[in-house]
Amino acid sequence: MSTTNRLVNPLLTDLYELTMAYAYWKHGRHEEHAVFDLFFRKNPFRGEFTVFAGLEEVLSFLEGFRYSDEQVDYLRTLLPESEPAFFEWLRRVDLSGVTVHAVSEGSIVFPRVPLLRVEGPLALAQLLETTLLTLVNYPSLVATNAARFRLAAGMRKTLLEFGLRRAQGPDGGMSASRYAFMGGFDATSNVLAGMLFGIPPRGTHAHSYVQSFQSLEQIPSRVVPASDGQSVDLVERTLAIRDRLRFNHTNQGELAAFVSYALAFPESFLALVDTYDTLNSGVPNFICVAFALMEMGHQPIGVRLDSGDLAFLSKATRNMFASCGELLNKDVSHFKIAASNDIDEAVLMSLNSEGHEIDIFGIGTRLVTCESQPALGCVYKLVEIGGSPRIKLSQDLQKVTIPGRKEAYRLYGQRGFPLLDLMVQAGETPPHPGDQILCRHPFDETKRVLVTPSRVMPLHQCVWNGGRMAAERSIHDIRADVLSQLASFRQDHLRLLNPTPYKVSVSAKLYDFIHRLWVEESPLPELR
Amino acid sequence: MSTTNRLVNPLLTDLYELTMAYAYWKHGRHEEHAVFDLFFRKNPFRGEFTVFAGLEEVLSFLEGFRYSDEQVDYLRTLLPESEPAFFEWLRRVDLSGVTVHAVSEGSIVFPRVPLLRVEGPLALAQLLETTLLTLVNYPSLVATNAARFRLAAGMRKTLLEFGLRRAQGPDGGMSASRYAFMGGFDATSNVLAGMLFGIPPRGTHAHSYVQSFQSLEQIPSRVVPASDGQSVDLVERTLAIRDRLRFNHTNQGELAAFVSYALAFPESFLALVDTYDTLNSGVPNFICVAFALMEMGHQPIGVRLDSGDLAFLSKATRNMFASCGELLNKDVSHFKIAASNDIDEAVLMSLNSEGHEIDIFGIGTRLVTCESQPALGCVYKLVEIGGSPRIKLSQDLQKVTIPGRKEAYRLYGQRGFPLLDLMVQAGETPPHPGDQILCRHPFDETKRVLVTPSRVMPLHQCVWNGGRMAAERSIHDIRADVLSQLASFRQDHLRLLNPTPYKVSVSAKLYDFIHRLWVEESPLPELR
């Protein structure tokens, strides 16, 4: 598979990766074996979980990793001080000597646990940094955001991603559509994402469609085939129902727009009802057209609200459906109410607490731009070189790295919930179900816990070993994984407000190792 | 020119554009002449100006606008209710009947003034909506953000865009790099943006480079050619200077990393100095290596600070440069101090008020994600159809649209500053320098002003008339335009905090027209 976007290639990187690669090469260090961890330090959105996404694109990028002659020629102009032989090396590099272990795409993940562990020749592993970060950061962020919207809306609501026009970058919307679906959305407005990723596209009409009509005279062909094979004048039928319901005060242009739209899509009629006045014009007009369609054996979908008080309007709309249905003896139980207009987590929660009748949410800007935190801070840190571990010190404990090659496991308790994630040194005996294991906070010596797991799941698998090792996974499978995990964690970890942190621990052996190195590397100032 | 990203094609759109197009086609309305305005309602970032960007990509998109057979086949599966002839129509559509007027790319623009006016067959003009919004929204947002950073940093500082790894979308970074440069940045870390857009790429090394060294023994070849043709052992020279400056307490691995980097890039040595301890290790190590390079006739660039109190550290670093320079009689006046680490507008303003010695700012996440407002709300509204004007009503005055085809002019005062932007009805006599013109607020009847402009600049030009009309412009020209405009506006309009709003007015004739239509279209409820 090639990357979705052709611009994802080895030159989509920061220049300093190349200057470092040259300096390593210049000193004959480029082939030294290095290990880098890609991880984040803090869950986004004040939450306590993250959904890992972007791995399929990472693998496609690795598969296509090669500098073209044109690219190498360009790099030569950027690095005029460099020796020509370096560019010959660059022209020939490939990732046959690189190994990547990764968490499975769609996993719920936590701070500090490596999402990717990249091993191989120092210069090459370094050259991958920026692109890997770019391919993981935003996908994971938007998948996490989507999962949070899913939790806020509840599992039974339909969630539509509507963000393309407000997404960052002319095609940032492509990633948004893909990873919002992966994180638990049901469909997208983005047609190209539908075509390329197999996500169902959805959409009806805009206000401009309604505005473009002024009267019923603008509909030349008013006849729609009824399910019994006869043809019926939809305008006539609609006006007849309108008379019976006494909805004569509604906007004529809007009625014409709805009738015309129903004539075009008799089997999937969904009307945007807020162009003029939702309750005094839009919903009544919808009901007239919808009832007319039903008399001809068609099944209308419903309405979309795009402004105003969505809780109130949805309830009032549902009531109007019910009373009109009762009056004309029609079954309106299948009518759906969709809502859009700057919906975010807080709006969803407030709608829930107030009560509403919305079945479908269309969510755009706040989802795709991840307004409340528009970047995930994944980093890529050197943890071992030439077999010797490296620690990155910082005054800020959160920024101290966990040195060396590590394996990670998820330990499950008797009730089936994950208890914590445990990192151990590569080569340590893996934790075993039924054994009592001492799990320690990586930096706080007082925080320890004894765990006897009922089940142990390794978090990493080798996805690249000189070539792709992992089978390609469909976005539908990954999405199903996300949704089943959202159900499998203790809900207090996933709570949107003030959630309980999930523990990420290290083995006693790794703890001792970290602290030995930490003390060794820390400066010992002398006071006189 | 084709679009930078191949994914920018007619299918990068919302499905409802296609369902609307079908409904128009079905009712024979698809060829009706329609006029749409693309504009925004509110300047971003609590500011009072916006930089318009994205036009070159818009034109490339229009040039390539064509549905492929494969795309049409896909659309057929999405719209099973539609008549086959519609897809035949879609297969043949092109933009030969479409006209686009636009503000010049890089213009400083204000709410309500159309950035694009799209005219042509209703269905086609509708089909362009989402993609045009996607191509204008984020580019304009990030260009505006960049211009604000430029204003905050001052015209003489060097601004580097470092955001690729945190940008939204695997290639959202490409747009960020391009439009940040357009908005006034000097360079980018993004190599591919350098290659494709001609933006200068910049970069040195990361912490991992420093961490990968433990001692000077890791440098096999220590010899660097001096400018006098002789070769000199840089390690020896560095250690000699280190002895003289008594910097024997610094981190050895870091010193080795700096020497090795200087050996690779003797003409462009810039060191990241905060891996271990900025003032006790990083800066002293840099000085030793830099002075050694200078003795050999090379010119080091300087240091980069990436953590801590940047105001304090930059001043302390400058002092250390000066005192060491004095001690060893070296000219350190050209040493640059670069700073990075979550820099935003507020940080820049606080640095300015506190005083600092930073020459170069590297700005990433906060620039490219536009954290303080991650989306610009451009909209695309129908303003005329079949020669008859359309107004979109709303309870919210800001959302009422200005109907009909309009021209817009920028009126300049005697002191050379723009006074206001004036919209008039298409066909009205344009405002003329020296004439007194009544300029009205579009909705508030009490807000009027008499203007006698010294100069009048039309804001729109025809950029597409069945084919591209505007010459291609280089990003360097557009960037120069942005910077010269930033200097040409009254500075209180551009102020970052609590700026003065710039007036956008309408002519008396347009005012009357808006209000006549507004009243006509407003419902007249009856109370009994």
Side-chain angles (χ1 to χ4, degrees):
Chain A
M1 280 294 287
S2 60
T3 52
T4 302
N5 187 327
R6 304 283 185 81
L7 298 173
V8 177
N9 67 52
L11 243 57
L12 186 73
T13 190
D14 289 329
L15 182 61
Y16 80 173
E17 314 291 5
L18 285 146
T19 55
M20 284 190 274
Y22 173 67
Y24 287 134
W25 178 90
K26 165 99 181 158
H27 298 291
R29 300 193 61 197
H30 55 298
E31 304 277 10
E32 272 182 46
H33 186 80
V35 183
F36 287 86
D37 283 349
L38 188 154
F39 61 99
F40 60 91
R41 297 178 181 126
K42 203 171 172 318
N43 290 301
F45 313 122
R46 302 185 182 193
E48 290 294 348
F49 76 98
T50 298
V51 176
F52 170 55
L55 183 60
E56 284 295 322
E57 286 289 314
V58 163
L59 292 171
S60 300
F61 164 65
L62 298 179
E63 280 182 298
F65 189 92
R66 209 149 290 109
Y67 292 91
S68 72
D69 288 348
E70 192 199 1
Q71 292 176 335
V72 172
D73 291 345
Y74 174 68
L75 291 175
R76 200 189 291 270
T77 67
L78 293 186
L79 304 173
E81 294 181 75
S82 306
E83 296 171 31
F86 170 67
F87 299 102
E88 290 315 308
W89 174 78
L90 213 53
R91 217 183 280 279
R92 288 191 320 268
V93 294
D94 62 46
L95 301 183
S96 55
V98 169
T99 307
V100 180
H101 286 75
V103 168
S104 160
E105 185 159 8
S107 295
I108 292 190
V109 290
F110 301 96
R112 296 189 188 282
V113 176
L115 305 174
L116 302 178
R117 184 176 78 224
V118 177
E119 300 174 69
L122 175 57
L124 267 178
Q126 184 70 64
L127 283 170
L128 298 175
E129 175 180 24
T130 306
T131 324
L132 294 183
L133 288 171
T134 306
L135 290 174
V136 168
N137 263 326
Y138 178 65
S140 299
L141 185 74
V142 79
T144 306
N145 206 19
R148 293 175 64 91
F149 275 94
R150 169 52 71 199
L151 291 169
M155 293 296 158
R156 284 184 298 184
K157 299 296 177 188
T158 298
L159 294 181
L160 312 179
E161 178 270 312
F162 277 0
L164 176 57
R165 63 187 61 195
R166 302 282 165 81
Q168 295 200 349
D171 65 335
M174 290 299 289
S175 307
S177 302
R178 177 176 183 168
Y179 297 106
F181 183 74
M182 192 179 278
F185 270 55
D186 296 295
T188 178
S189 64
N190 179 344
V191 183
L192 190 61
M195 182 165 169
L196 296 188
F197 307 134
I199 306 172
R202 292 279 195 87
T204 53
H205 65 83
H207 296 113
S208 62
Y209 185 82
V210 177
Q211 284 175 270
S212 81
F213 284 85
Q214 289 183 288
S215 81
L216 291 161
E217 274 79 70
Q218 283 171 294
I219 308 174
S221 124
R222 303 154 159 229
V223 166
V224 66
S227 55
D228 61 6
Q230 294 204 300
S231 285
V232 179
D233 184 323
L234 188 64
V235 174
E236 247 172 45
R237 284 281 178 116
T238 300
L239 291 176
I241 290 166
R242 193 180 182 223
D243 278 342
R244 290 171 65 192
L245 293 172
R246 298 175 195 244
F247 283 155
N248 301 308
H249 57 284
T250 63
N251 186 295
Q252 279 268 356
E254 187 183 54
L255 185 65
F258 289 0
V259 172
S260 77
Y261 200 77
L263 286 163
F265 299 101
E267 293 299 340
S268 52
F269 175 55
L270 197 161
L272 175 65
V273 291
D274 72 330
T275 305
Y276 299 107
D277 187 317
T278 301
L279 297 178
N280 288 307
S281 185
V283 175
N285 279 336
F286 164 78
I287 290 173
C288 298
V289 180
F291 284 8
L293 279 175
M294 285 163 75
E295 289 181 357
M296 294 149 71
H298 301 294
Q299 194 76 294
I301 294 180
V303 297
R304 175 158 74 97
L305 311 170
D306 190 40
S307 57
D309 180 327
L310 299 177
F312 167 75
L313 289 173
S314 68
K315 287 187 273 192
T317 299
R318 187 71 74 199
N319 286 338
M320 205 180 287
F321 287 169
S323 60
C324 294
E326 206 169 324
L327 212 62
L328 300 197
N329 200 22
K330 310 266 185 210
D331 174 15
V332 297
S333 60
H334 60 279
F335 282 5
K336 302 281 187 224
I337 299 175
S340 47
N341 192 28
D342 285 346
I343 292 174
D344 61 14
E345 259 182 56
V347 170
L348 287 175
M349 289 196 281
S350 131
L351 285 170
N352 289 343
S353 70
E354 209 171 332
H356 66 85
E357 288 288 336
I358 300 163
D359 306 291
I360 302 168
F361 291 99
I363 302 179
T365 315
R366 311 294 174 100
L367 169 69
V368 305
T369 65
C370 300
E371 201 183 33
S372 60
Q373 184 186 324
L376 179 65
C378 277
V379 295
Y380 188 82
K381 294 291 172 190
L382 180 70
V383 293
E384 187 182 296
I385 183 162
S388 119
R390 279 290 179 284
I391 190 167
K392 163 91 175 67
L393 305 179
S394 175
Q395 304 281 57
D396 180 358
L397 257 190
Q398 259 205 337
K399 289 195 170 183
V400 176
T401 58
I402 299 185
R405 286 186 75 216
K406 297 168 292 290
E407 304 289 352
Y409 300 89
R410 184 154 293 167
L411 310 190
Y412 290 79
Q414 283 180 338
R415 289 185 301 152
F417 292 124
L419 296 173
L420 53 74
D421 287 359
L422 177 71
M423 284 187 273
V424 308
Q425 284 192 288
E428 256 190 85
T429 319
H432 198 267
D435 289 356
Q436 195 187 56
I437 301 154
L438 175 63
C439 300
R440 304 198 63 164
H441 186 285
F443 301 111
D444 186 336
E445 62 185 347
T446 64
K447 289 191 175 160
R448 301 170 303 166
V449 62
L450 288 168
V451 177
T452 306
S454 302
R455 184 159 80 89
V456 172
M457 187 181 74
L459 287 173
H460 292 130
Q461 61 164 326
C462 181
V463 295
W464 180 271
N465 190 2
R468 186 177 173 131
M469 302 292 288
E472 224 174 280
R473 292 177 68 210
S474 86
I475 192 171
H476 298 274
D477 288 350
I478 301 172
R479 177 177 182 273
D481 256 18
V482 174
L483 291 174
S484 84
Q485 282 180 81
L486 289 179
S488 78
F489 269 82
R490 253 173 47 202
Q491 293 303 298
D492 58 324
H493 296 311
L494 307 182
R495 195 164 54 204
L496 302 179
L497 283 179
N498 303 323
T500 312
Y502 178 85
K503 285 188 183 60
V504 174
S505 306
V506 297
S507 66
K509 203 169 159 197
L510 179 53
Y511 177 89
D512 292 340
F513 174 73
I514 295 168
H515 287 256
R516 201 171 60 235
L517 209 65
W518 197 7
V519 172
E520 270 174 30
E521 293 280 327
S522 292
L524 175 61
E526 196 180 347
L527 301 177
R528 293 167 200 250
Chain B
M1 281 293 287
S2 60
T3 52
T4 302
N5 186 327
R6 304 283 186 81
L7 298 174
V8 178
N9 66 53
L11 242 57
L12 186 73
T13 191
D14 288 329
L15 181 61
Y16 80 173
E17 314 291 5
L18 285 146
T19 54
M20 284 191 275
Y22 173 68
Y24 287 134
W25 178 90
K26 165 100 182 158
H27 297 290
R29 299 193 62 196
H30 55 298
E31 302 279 9
E32 272 182 45
H33 186 80
V35 183
F36 287 86
D37 283 349
L38 188 154
F39 61 98
F40 59 90
R41 297 178 180 126
K42 202 171 173 319
N43 290 301
F45 313 122
R46 302 183 181 194
E48 290 294 348
F49 76 98
T50 299
V51 176
F52 170 54
L55 183 59
E56 284 295 323
E57 287 288 315
V58 163
L59 292 171
S60 300
F61 164 65
L62 298 179
E63 280 181 298
F65 189 93
R66 209 149 290 109
Y67 292 90
S68 71
D69 289 348
E70 193 199 1
Q71 291 176 336
V72 173
D73 290 344
Y74 174 68
L75 291 175
R76 200 189 291 269
T77 67
L78 293 186
L79 304 173
E81 295 181 74
S82 306
E83 296 171 31
F86 170 68
F87 299 102
E88 289 316 308
W89 173 79
L90 213 53
R91 218 183 280 280
R92 289 190 320 267
V93 294
D94 64 44
L95 301 182
S96 57
V98 169
T99 307
V100 180
H101 287 75
V103 168
S104 160
E105 184 158 10
S107 295
I108 293 189
V109 290
F110 302 96
R112 295 188 187 283
V113 176
L115 305 174
L116 303 177
R117 183 176 79 225
V118 177
E119 299 174 69
L122 175 57
L124 267 178
Q126 184 69 65
L127 283 170
L128 298 174
E129 175 180 24
T130 306
T131 324
L132 294 183
L133 288 170
T134 305
L135 290 173
V136 168
N137 263 326
Y138 178 65
S140 299
L141 184 75
V142 78
T144 306
N145 206 20
R148 293 175 65 91
F149 275 96
R150 168 54 70 199
L151 291 169
M155 292 296 159
R156 284 184 299 185
K157 298 297 178 189
T158 298
L159 294 181
L160 312 179
E161 177 271 312
F162 278 180
L164 176 56
R165 63 187 62 195
R166 302 281 165 81
Q168 295 200 347
D171 65 336
M174 290 299 289
S175 308
S177 302
R178 177 176 183 168
Y179 297 105
F181 182 75
M182 193 178 278
F185 270 54
D186 297 295
T188 178
S189 63
N190 179 344
V191 183
L192 190 60
M195 182 165 170
L196 296 189
F197 306 133
I199 306 172
R202 292 279 195 85
T204 54
H205 65 83
H207 296 115
S208 62
Y209 185 82
V210 177
Q211 284 175 269
S212 81
F213 285 85
Q214 288 184 288
S215 81
L216 291 161
E217 275 80 70
Q218 283 171 293
I219 309 175
S221 124
R222 304 155 158 228
V223 167
V224 66
S227 56
D228 61 5
Q230 294 205 303
S231 283
V232 180
D233 184 323
L234 188 64
V235 174
E236 247 171 45
R237 284 280 178 116
T238 300
L239 291 176
I241 290 166
R242 193 180 182 223
D243 278 341
R244 290 171 65 193
L245 293 171
R246 297 174 196 246
F247 283 154
N248 302 307
H249 57 283
T250 63
N251 186 295
Q252 278 268 357
E254 186 183 56
L255 185 65
F258 289 0
V259 172
S260 76
Y261 201 76
L263 286 163
F265 297 102
E267 293 300 339
S268 51
F269 175 55
L270 198 160
L272 175 64
V273 289
D274 72 331
T275 304
Y276 299 108
D277 187 318
T278 301
L279 297 178
N280 288 308
S281 184
V283 175
N285 279 336
F286 164 78
I287 290 173
C288 298
V289 180
F291 283 8
L293 279 175
M294 286 162 75
E295 288 181 359
M296 294 148 72
H298 300 293
Q299 193 76 296
I301 294 179
V303 298
R304 175 159 73 98
L305 311 171
D306 190 40
S307 57
D309 180 328
L310 300 176
F312 168 76
L313 289 173
S314 68
K315 288 187 273 193
T317 298
R318 187 72 74 199
N319 286 339
M320 204 180 286
F321 287 169
S323 61
C324 295
E326 204 168 326
L327 212 62
L328 300 196
N329 201 22
K330 310 268 186 209
D331 174 15
V332 297
S333 61
H334 59 278
F335 282 7
K336 302 281 187 226
I337 299 175
S340 46
N341 192 27
D342 284 347
I343 292 175
D344 61 14
E345 260 182 54
V347 170
L348 287 175
M349 288 196 280
S350 133
L351 284 169
N352 289 343
S353 70
E354 210 171 333
H356 67 85
E357 287 288 338
I358 299 163
D359 306 291
I360 302 168
F361 290 98
I363 302 179
T365 315
R366 311 294 174 100
L367 169 67
V368 306
T369 65
C370 300
E371 201 185 32
S372 61
Q373 184 186 324
L376 180 65
C378 277
V379 293
Y380 187 82
K381 294 290 171 190
L382 180 70
V383 293
E384 189 182 295
I385 183 162
S388 121
R390 280 290 179 281
I391 189 167
K392 163 92 174 68
L393 305 179
S394 174
Q395 305 280 55
D396 181 358
L397 257 190
Q398 259 205 337
K399 289 195 169 182
V400 176
T401 58
I402 299 184
R405 286 186 75 217
K406 298 168 291 289
E407 304 288 353
Y409 299 90
R410 184 155 294 167
L411 310 190
Y412 291 78
Q414 283 180 339
R415 290 184 300 153
F417 292 124
L419 297 174
L420 53 75
D421 287 0
L422 178 70
M423 284 187 273
V424 309
Q425 284 191 288
E428 256 191 84
T429 318
H432 197 267
D435 289 356
Q436 195 188 55
I437 301 154
L438 175 62
C439 300
R440 304 198 64 164
H441 186 285
F443 301 110
D444 185 337
E445 62 185 346
T446 64
K447 289 192 176 160
R448 302 170 304 167
V449 62
L450 289 168
V451 177
T452 306
S454 301
R455 185 158 80 86
V456 172
M457 188 180 75
L459 288 173
H460 292 130
Q461 61 164 326
C462 181
V463 294
W464 180 271
N465 190 2
R468 186 177 173 129
M469 302 292 289
E472 224 174 279
R473 293 178 68 209
S474 86
I475 192 170
H476 299 274
D477 288 351
I478 301 173
R479 177 176 182 273
D481 256 18
V482 174
L483 291 174
S484 85
Q485 282 180 82
L486 289 179
S488 79
F489 269 82
R490 254 174 46 202
Q491 293 303 297
D492 57 325
H493 296 311
L494 307 182
R495 194 163 55 204
L496 302 179
L497 283 179
N498 303 322
T500 312
Y502 177 85
K503 284 188 183 61
V504 174
S505 306
V506 297
S507 66
K509 204 169 158 199
L510 179 53
Y511 178 90
D512 293 339
F513 173 73
I514 295 169
H515 287 255
R516 201 171 58 237
L517 209 65
W518 198 7
V519 172
E520 270 174 31
E521 294 279 327
S522 292
L524 176 60
E526 197 180 345
L527 301 177
R528 292 167 199 247

